[in-house]
Amino acid sequence: MAKAALDVKDLHAWYGDSHVLHGMTFHVQEGEVVTLLGRNGAGKTTTMRALMGSGVRRQGEIMVGGASAIDLPSHKIARLGLAWCPEERGIYSALSVQENLMLPPEVRPGGLSVEEIHQMFPRLKERAKSQGTKLSGGEQQMLAIARILRTGAHTLLLDEPTEGLAPIIVKQIGRIIAQLRERGFTIVLVEQNFHFASTLADRNYVVDRGRVIDMIPKHALADNKEKLVGYLGV
Amino acid sequence: MPTVFGIPMAALFGQVVLGCVNGAFYALLSLGLALIFGLLNVINFAHGALYMMGAFAAWLLLGYAGIGYWGSLILAPLIVALIAGLIERLLLSHLYKLDHLYGLLLTFGLALLLEGLFRQQFGVSGLPYAVPPELQGVWNLGFMILPIYRGWVVAVSVVVCVSIWALIEKTKLGAILRAATENPTLLAAFGVNVPLLMTATFCLGAALAGLSGVLAAPIYSVNPLMGSNLIIVVFAVVVIGGMGSIMGAVVTGFALGLIEGLCKVFVPQVTATAVFVIMAIVLLVRPAGLFGKRR
């Protein structure tokens, strides 16, 4: 039986006095692709931030590969093997594409080599010397994903990787996520684009008002389509 | 004797050299301030006190440990950096989540405290520190006489400023520093120990102030108030260059030193205010400074 890459129990999170997560509970097995689906403001991005200890106060239990992360500062959580690709992409304008790519330190062995990354994302090689934020939206998204593959992290948190991108780029991102899954990465995907997410995910957690309200595995998606449409309002 | 606009060449070049020396100190000090402001968002009013402590460290090392100028050039900046590290860890680091004003007030208070302590212990009359024998004397360049030590100060400042610029713009560590200035939260999520980086940056900025202090000791007397006399002009340099801009701090530091020197020759009555007039004009035309970016 596969081990748990990520185990979250009764996770609460606050922005200042504002209580946003109200007991998120979910788990992700090693090598799984899991989505967090939900409407705007449901708490999906806050869950990502809470997992990384980034800008929120949190309480509850977060186990990354069996190690507790709830009391660790952000930089130590990353060293447990958790890597985050934020919703806003976070490409540094003061850095070139290559500098952005090489920025995250190696947290453990086994990451992709720069050559492998350039094979997967040839545009990043062609535009290595450009300013990071001069790339197109799709290229920036690829750079944001590419730079966390180098680090050796085994669990990737991808927050809305298709947001605002053209359909052809969305397809490309989908192919990349499928490739990463084949390589054995564990992936937690936050998506509003249900149709995109459902083709990739093994299991889908539905998030509403800061907690998980349902879990629908891939094989049960067709039978639960109406229920999902109700949850997501799509 | 040849003249330029009626001014003897020797007098003109003498002031140009003096301007370059002043510029060298402005550049080193404003570089440290820019590094600290860029990453920590702290307007470090204690920078002048750190510069003063660098000069005193050299004086004390000579008097009590027999360590001369060359040893002090290495040791004094390290001592100042160590003290700065303690200040950052024990005091400043608790204020990062608050408004900039709190950091400014704390460092202003620290500057007063440190100056007061040194004034109490050493008085304000100034303590002598000799130019090292290797750098005594002058070079006759034909058109002017250049004191070797002043040439040395300018050369060290240029080398240090270019090295720091290269460190920040051309190395992996520099890329991490630039990234930390732009988005430290995300950088921490990548696994970079940002609090340690902030401490190291504060220490580096302080070490530059300490180095300036050692360089200044043989030129100006070692005096508890030497920092506060200089720091206001250095802040003007940082504002003109653009808060947090490395290139801005260095270029503006040397340029304003030179402009001050030339003012002394051509319009001596405005020398003391020239820097502040330039600051006012720059703030009106480019509020973010000559090299700065809007935050």
Side-chain angles (χ1 to χ4, degrees):
Chain A
M1 189 179 160
K3 286 199 299 186
L6 189 60
D7 200 357
V8 178
K9 281 183 191 150
D10 196 28
L11 180 63
H12 292 252
W14 292 259
Y15 290 115
D17 290 333
S18 177
H19 192 173
V20 181
L21 297 188
H22 299 266
M24 284 285 293
T25 298
F26 65 97
H27 71 278
V28 188
Q29 301 295 109
E30 275 183 3
E32 252 191 331
V33 176
V34 161
T35 59
L36 301 182
L37 300 171
R39 300 182 193 216
N40 259 340
K44 307 181 299 291
T45 292
T46 306
T47 304
M48 295 287 197
R49 290 184 177 278
L51 291 176
M52 292 310 303
S54 195
V56 292
R57 186 163 58 86
R58 67 229 171 106
Q59 206 175 69
E61 190 179 308
I62 300 171
M63 304 296 283
V64 180
S68 174
I70 195 73
D71 292 324
L72 295 180
S74 195
H75 68 273
K76 288 193 177 162
I77 296 173
R79 293 190 177 271
L80 295 178
L82 208 55
W84 178 39
C85 175
E87 186 181 12
E88 68 280 5
R89 294 169 192 144
I91 302 301
Y92 288 96
S93 65
L95 271 55
S96 68
V97 170
Q98 186 69 7
E99 283 174 328
N100 266 288
L101 182 63
M102 302 306 286
L103 182 69
E106 203 177 305
V107 293
R108 48 181 62 201
L112 268 63
S113 68
V114 175
E115 290 73 29
E116 284 174 307
I117 287 173
H118 280 158
Q119 272 176 8
M120 204 180 258
F121 307 96
R123 281 294 284 165
L124 300 185
K125 188 176 184 184
E126 290 163 25
R127 303 211 53 189
K129 289 186 178 166
S130 305
Q131 186 187 339
T133 45
K134 288 272 160 74
L135 297 181
S136 69
E139 288 167 342
Q140 284 192 34
Q141 187 60 64
M142 288 179 193
L143 176 56
I145 295 174
R147 69 181 169 186
I148 59 173
L149 302 179
R150 251 191 60 254
T151 63
H154 50 68
T155 303
L156 311 180
L157 309 179
L158 308 182
D159 195 350
E160 306 258 12
T162 64
E163 193 187 19
L165 301 180
I168 187 163
I169 309 289
V170 173
K171 271 189 183 170
Q172 246 176 302
I173 303 262
R175 278 199 295 272
I176 287 160
I177 293 174
Q179 277 181 46
L180 295 176
R181 179 217 183 111
E182 280 167 27
R183 282 177 172 267
F185 283 99
T186 306
I187 297 172
V188 181
L189 189 63
V190 160
E191 263 301 336
Q192 287 203 50
N193 183 345
F194 161 69
H195 299 290
F196 170 79
S198 62
T199 57
L200 295 163
D202 298 305
R203 290 182 301 123
N204 302 277
Y205 284 101
V206 182
V207 182
D208 188 40
R209 295 176 203 179
R211 60 168 68 89
V212 170
I213 56 166
D214 204 349
M215 192 280 287
I216 303 172
K218 189 172 192 169
H219 63 79
L221 267 178
D223 296 338
N224 289 279
K225 202 154 191 179
E226 272 188 31
K227 195 161 71 166
L228 251 178
V229 167
Y231 286 144
L232 305 176
V234 289
Chain B
M1 182 181 285
T3 61
V4 178
F5 299 119
I7 306 287
M9 285 274 275
L12 178 63
F13 283 115
Q15 286 303 329
V16 166
V17 169
L18 200 62
C20 285
V21 172
N22 284 340
F25 288 118
Y26 296 161
L28 276 176
L29 287 167
S30 53
L31 174 60
L33 275 179
L35 278 171
I36 291 169
F37 180 76
L39 184 54
L40 283 71
N41 276 331
V42 168
I43 300 167
N44 180 25
F45 254 87
H47 214 64
L50 296 170
Y51 160 77
M52 175 269 289
M53 283 160 68
F56 266 99
W59 186 83
L60 291 167
L61 283 169
L62 182 65
Y64 292 92
I67 296 170
Y69 179 82
W70 300 106
S72 289
L73 217 48
I74 307 292
L75 281 178
L78 289 178
I79 293 167
V80 174
L82 189 69
I83 294 167
L86 289 174
I87 291 172
E88 196 276 341
R89 276 293 86 205
L90 298 177
L91 302 171
L92 264 180
S93 61
H94 301 287
L95 303 180
Y96 293 147
K97 287 182 182 165
L98 303 176
D99 191 90
H100 294 189
L101 193 61
Y102 289 90
L104 186 150
L105 286 174
L106 175 76
T107 53
F108 185 60
L110 274 174
L112 293 177
L113 190 71
L114 291 168
E115 279 177 10
L117 284 172
F118 277 81
R119 193 158 52 177
Q120 178 77 17
Q121 192 65 31
F122 300 102
V124 288
S125 55
L127 305 162
Y129 191 91
V131 173
E134 300 86 343
L135 299 173
Q136 285 173 1
V138 293
W139 280 322
N140 188 345
L141 302 178
F143 56 92
M144 66 172 293
I145 304 291
L146 175 67
I148 294 175
Y149 188 76
R150 294 183 184 230
W152 160 255
V153 168
V154 175
V156 170
S157 175
V158 169
V159 168
V160 170
C161 288
V162 170
S163 305
I164 299 285
W165 175 84
L167 171 81
I168 288 167
E169 294 296 329
K170 304 289 176 194
T171 67
K172 173 82 190 276
L173 179 64
I176 290 174
L177 271 172
R178 278 178 283 145
T181 303
E182 199 175 323
N183 186 348
T185 313
L186 180 59
L187 191 67
F190 287 151
V192 175
N193 189 341
V194 173
L196 182 65
L197 195 64
M198 289 171 123
T199 308
T201 304
F202 194 73
C203 290
L204 176 61
L208 289 173
L211 176 69
S212 310
V214 183
L215 289 171
I219 298 182
Y220 314 112
S221 60
V222 178
N223 186 318
L225 301 180
M226 64 193 286
S228 54
N229 295 338
L230 198 60
I231 199 69
I232 300 299
V233 177
V234 173
F235 269 111
V237 169
V238 174
V239 171
I240 294 168
M243 296 292 285
S245 163
I246 304 301
M247 179 69 92
V250 174
V251 172
T252 313
F254 276 105
L256 287 186
L258 211 54
I259 288 170
E260 262 189 354
L262 292 174
C263 282
K264 275 181 194 157
V265 180
F266 293 106
V267 270
Q269 59 275 33
V270 304
T271 305
T273 50
V275 169
F276 301 102
V277 171
I278 293 170
M279 182 175 82
I281 294 168
V282 168
L283 283 178
L284 283 172
V285 180
R286 281 181 66 95
L290 295 175
F291 295 80
K293 289 179 190 160
R294 281 177 184 275
R295 288 185 170 227

